[in-house]
Amino acid sequence: MRKERKSNSPEWIIGFYKIDMIRLIVTDIDETIVKEGSTNINPQYFEVIRKLTDKGIEFVAASGRHISSLQVALAPVADKIWFLSQNGSIIKKQDQTLVPNPLQLEWIPEFWKEMEKIDAPGAIAYTPDYCFIPFSGNEMHRHLTEDYHYAIKVTGGWDTLPTGEIFTMMTVYHPEDADAFCKANLNPDWHNRLQILAAGQTWVDLVPAANGKGPALKKLCQDLAIDPSEVIAFGDNMNDLSMIEFAGCGIAVENAKPAVKAVAQKIVPDYTKDGVLHELEAILAQL
């Protein structure tokens, strides 16, 4: 059952928003505004985002993706918006970059060894600048470089990792069902140390416990003196849940996970029908 609208959430006027209460709009990327793994965002989004930011509304792209992919996907407006990448492990706008809670360094080689032991089809160790992967030439490498356009460094095996890096997130890859693979194979002890978040059919992210899209959004709003009641958030997956719950108005797309729909205050058509775009255009039309 969908949650009751918060008493301080944005008011609705003939199905639209009370515009003077909106100061920040945040949206997930994959399966919310574009097909998972694609950087081909409908160009109409860029026009609407420019107009919204010109009107003083902060616009935020929140994703489990590495920042390098987001900067490619949203290149036409990258200088105007905030990025919450790697599930809130990086907060960035232009030359402002914050890494709230890095991973403990000893966890990275431990994770790499476990991935080798359970014969994981692929895994990623993230830093603010690069994504480290063990091997090139496989399906995951192709997917990350050709579809996501990640900035990649290849370690050459599970027993090699760079030193002197700040690591922000780890990801397990499986070409069919990453969530099922992790439930069957991942050491349960990781749940005591990190958040284990399904981020799409092929990815499961291991995120510092204090991070996440919701906590990062809260931090950003505090820095910008924006109240949650002045925030609209769009999402679809479990890594969007904390952000949807934080926002004064949380909106799920039609293809969202049931748990996300359950806490959303409105459901809009999925990315194939540009549901989020039409909501943004409706807001803009009233400014």
Side-chain angles (χ1 to χ4, degrees), residues 234-285:
F234 297 91
D236 78 298
N237 219 322
M238 296 307 293
N239 59 344
D240 299 317
L241 192 59
S242 62
M243 161 175 100
I244 295 289
E245 291 179 320
F246 171 81
C249 182
I251 301 176
V253 287
E254 187 58 49
N255 55 306
K257 296 286 188 182
V260 178
K261 286 184 176 180
V263 300
Q265 295 163 283
K266 187 176 183 180
I267 309 297
V268 299
D270 65 30
Y271 72 93
T272 65
K273 301 180 179 66
D274 286 325
V276 174
L277 175 63
H278 296 319
E279 287 294 305
L280 298 180
E281 289 174 334
I283 294 170
L284 185 61

Side-chain angles (χ1 to χ4, degrees), residues 78-98:
D79 62 331
K80 290 182 171 288
I81 69 175
W82 288 92
F83 295 101
L84 303 184
S85 74
Q86 301 165 54
N87 291 304
S89 296
I90 299 288
I91 303 173
K92 183 177 180 63
K93 184 178 184 181
Q94 296 179 357
D95 60 350
Q96 303 176 66
T97 302
L98 177 65

